[in-house]
Structures are given as C-alpha cells and as structure tokens.
Amino acid sequence: MLNLNFSKIFFAFCLATVFSACTKDDNFRPSDCNFLKTGNIWTYDRTENFIHRVFRRQITAEADSVFKITETIVGNAADTVYWFSEGGYLCAYKHGESKTDGRRIYKCNAQVGETWQSPDFLNRGLDIYLVLRNGVEINTFSGVFICSEIRIRHDYDIDVEYTYWSPVYGEVMRTGLVGLELTSTNL
C-alpha cells in the first residue's frame, strides 16, 4: 500500500513538472530579445590569430529601450556599443553614433533561408546575414545551448563568419577570423 501511494505521488510530481515546463515555454515569445536586461553579463573566450583572451559584455544601463553595452577585452580599454530591438531585429551602434545608425546584427525567430544585410562596424561595406539552421545544439564551456546558425558574409572581402544565437541567452559562439565562445553568463 505504501509503495502504491509513493508511486501515485511520484507520478503526480512528474506530471506537474511537465505541465509547469510547458506553461513556461508557451509564454515565451521568441520575437523578443529576452536577454536585454540591465546587469546581464556575458564572458567569452575570444580567439584572434591563435591568441586567447577574455572578452566581456555587460549591459550597464538602459534608457528608452536602448541598452548601453560595455565591451572589454582584458588588457584593453573598454568600448561602448548600444543595442536595441526594432522590428524583430537586434540592432547595434557604436559610441558617437545615433540610433539611426543601428545595424541589424540578429533577428529573433528568423526562419531558415531568411537573409538581411547591414553596414559593417568599420564602414568597409555590407555584412550579409543568412540563417542556415535553427535548433542547432552548441556545446560551450558554459553549457549546451539551442541556437540559430547564421552565416555572415562580407561584400568587401572573402572572410565568412558563423554566429550562433540563442533567443534566451544571446550570442553563444562565433567562428571566423575572430572567434567567441561563451564561458559564463549571469542569465
């Protein structure tokens, strides 16, 4: 009798866990950039020319839905960029520019085959984005993430980058001449 009651309680607990998880997923809106919150921090292993360095992004302030991001490579001065969500895109611009200079760097809920373009940050030409796959499992130092794989081709050189974005955690990994791999986050 005790085993039967324990089995019923255990089954009810499992059922409640499954339904609460489904409720949480049903309320998730992938069109939002849910990772945009003041205080969020991402730390990456940054690779360039076979040299590994710590790269950190932190949302330090927000005003009128524009988020101030402090980006630091250990040993270098910090840079400031600004992120905002507009029309389903995550847009970014550099310190000294305005919101109208915003470049589309990610699209929430983008479908496979979808493409967009935006000027690169050094004003050399256009970055052309193409969503290759959704639901890609990416293993990093900080865990496993389900991401969209996006190819970034530049119209001004032959370099091709691949970036992996999670709608919950933001940019998880980037490969190319400069690589990023998420090592920790407070999300």
Side-chain angles (χ1 to χ4, degrees), residues 34-82:
N34 294 303
F35 47 84
L36 291 178
K37 292 183 181 71
T38 301
N40 286 354
I41 300 169
W42 297 264
T43 304
Y44 298 89
D45 176 38
R46 182 179 188 275
T47 309
E48 184 174 13
N49 297 326
F50 303 104
I51 298 171
H52 293 266
R53 299 174 83 186
V54 175
F55 174 70
R56 182 177 173 176
R57 282 182 178 141
Q58 180 175 1
I59 299 178
T60 56
E62 183 264 331
D64 297 323
S65 298
V66 175
F67 295 84
K68 180 180 178 181
I69 314 290
T70 302
E71 296 185 335
T72 308
I73 298 172
V74 172
N76 292 7
D79 286 325
T80 301
V81 296
Y82 299 90

Side-chain angles (χ1 to χ4, degrees), residues 42-45 136-147 164-166 169-173 180-187:
W42 297 264
T43 304
Y44 298 89
D45 176 38
V136 179
E137 188 174 285
I138 299 297
N139 294 299
T140 71
F141 294 119
S142 60
V144 178
F145 300 90
I146 304 302
C147 299
Y164 300 86
W165 284 79
S166 161
Y169 296 98
E171 189 172 29
V172 170
M173 182 182 284
L180 294 176
E181 183 172 340
L182 188 64
T183 57
S184 68
T185 184
N186 67 341
L187 275 68

Side-chain angles (χ1 to χ4, degrees), residues 80-154:
T80 301
V81 296
Y82 299 90
W83 286 0
F84 63 95
S85 181
E86 184 174 82
Y89 289 95
L90 176 64
C91 300
Y93 63 93
K94 299 183 294 190
H95 181 72
E97 296 179 331
S98 69
K99 191 173 179 181
T100 58
D101 298 313
R103 294 153 184 89
R104 296 174 171 178
I105 61 171
Y106 171 65
K107 183 171 185 189
C108 295
N109 203 26
Q111 302 302 308
V112 172
E114 196 164 347
T115 186
W116 68 93
Q117 56 188 1
S118 224
D120 83 316
F121 276 100
L122 299 176
N123 296 317
R124 297 171 292 191
L126 291 176
D127 290 338
I128 302 155
Y129 296 79
L130 171 65
V131 179
L132 297 175
R133 298 184 294 163
N134 286 324
V136 179
E137 188 174 285
I138 299 297
N139 294 299
T140 71
F141 294 119
S142 60
V144 178
F145 300 90
I146 304 302
C147 299
S148 294
E149 178 183 37
I150 302 168
R151 183 187 72 201
I152 306 169
R153 188 178 56 79
H154 313 288

